[in-house]
Amino acid sequence: MNLAMRITVIGVGNEFRHDDGVGWAVVARLAERAEQRPLPSGAVLMVCDGDPARLITLWEDADLAIVVDAAHAHPGHPGRVHRLELDSEQLCRSGGATSSHGLGLGEAVELARELDRLPGQLIVYAVEGADSSLGTGLSAPVAAAVEPLAERIAKEIT
């Protein structure tokens, strides 16, 4: 990966809705890891509640944006990680995935496309959740996905 690249890793969700906080947990783990093994100088770690306007602001100047979010799937397999890689051509098409907090990454992508504020490349990691009720702490299968996903993202950007 080019060290001059602007890289933004965004954890999306709500840490007060159990598994919906997985994006925040992955970013927190990446920050802890960076204390011993620094990320590239152009890498920035951020969290967001999923509001499309905030997402666009966080990724608009990035060459590479990586978004980590909880997702619903039916039938679900809590803790399973899905990776979707989009470049600026593919970003013009809306996907049908739903985030666990209702505000969609699809809406943010569509709005960013209309405003010409898409990142150069967007990678989405969607982690299937088990529990998005009010409360803190991740379910066991989702918590088990945090460390491997943080390592995978760190390797991808370094």
Side-chain angles (χ1 to χ4, degrees):
M1 189 79 31
N2 180 347
L3 292 179
M5 280 186 78
R6 294 166 301 184
I7 302 165
T8 302
V9 180
I10 307 167
V12 175
N14 181 342
E15 65 183 336
F16 299 107
R17 293 193 65 98
H18 291 291
D19 290 345
D20 193 42
V22 69
W24 291 44
V26 169
V27 167
R29 179 61 195 112
L30 281 166
E32 290 169 7
R33 182 194 180 283
E35 291 175 14
Q36 321 269 264
R37 293 174 280 168
L39 297 172
S41 61
V44 178
L45 303 174
M46 308 292 289
V47 292
C48 179
D49 63 2
D51 176 75
R54 282 189 278 277
L55 276 170
I56 292 167
T57 299
L58 295 176
W59 75 34
E60 74 178 312
D61 292 326
D63 297 306
L64 168 63
I66 297 176
V67 176
V68 181
D69 196 4
H72 289 299
H74 300 285
H77 295 83
R80 181 168 53 181
V81 177
H82 302 268
R83 182 181 186 277
L84 179 61
E85 183 174 350
L86 303 169
D87 61 24
S88 58
E89 294 286 319
Q90 293 169 311
L91 285 171
C92 293
R93 290 182 262 142
S94 243
T98 56
S99 78
S100 65
H101 42 83
L103 292 176
L105 185 55
E107 287 91 349
V109 169
E110 181 60 25
L111 182 57
R113 183 186 65 74
E114 290 295 323
L115 298 173
D116 196 27
R117 293 171 63 186
L118 288 167
Q121 181 181 19
L122 175 64
I123 297 173
V124 177
Y125 284 99
V127 182
E128 291 184 31
D131 181 5
S132 61
S133 66
L134 291 175
T136 58
L138 302 175
S139 66
V142 173
V146 170
E147 178 69 26
L149 182 52
E151 286 301 316
R152 183 174 176 182
I153 291 169
K155 286 179 185 171
E156 190 159 4
I157 65 177
T158 53

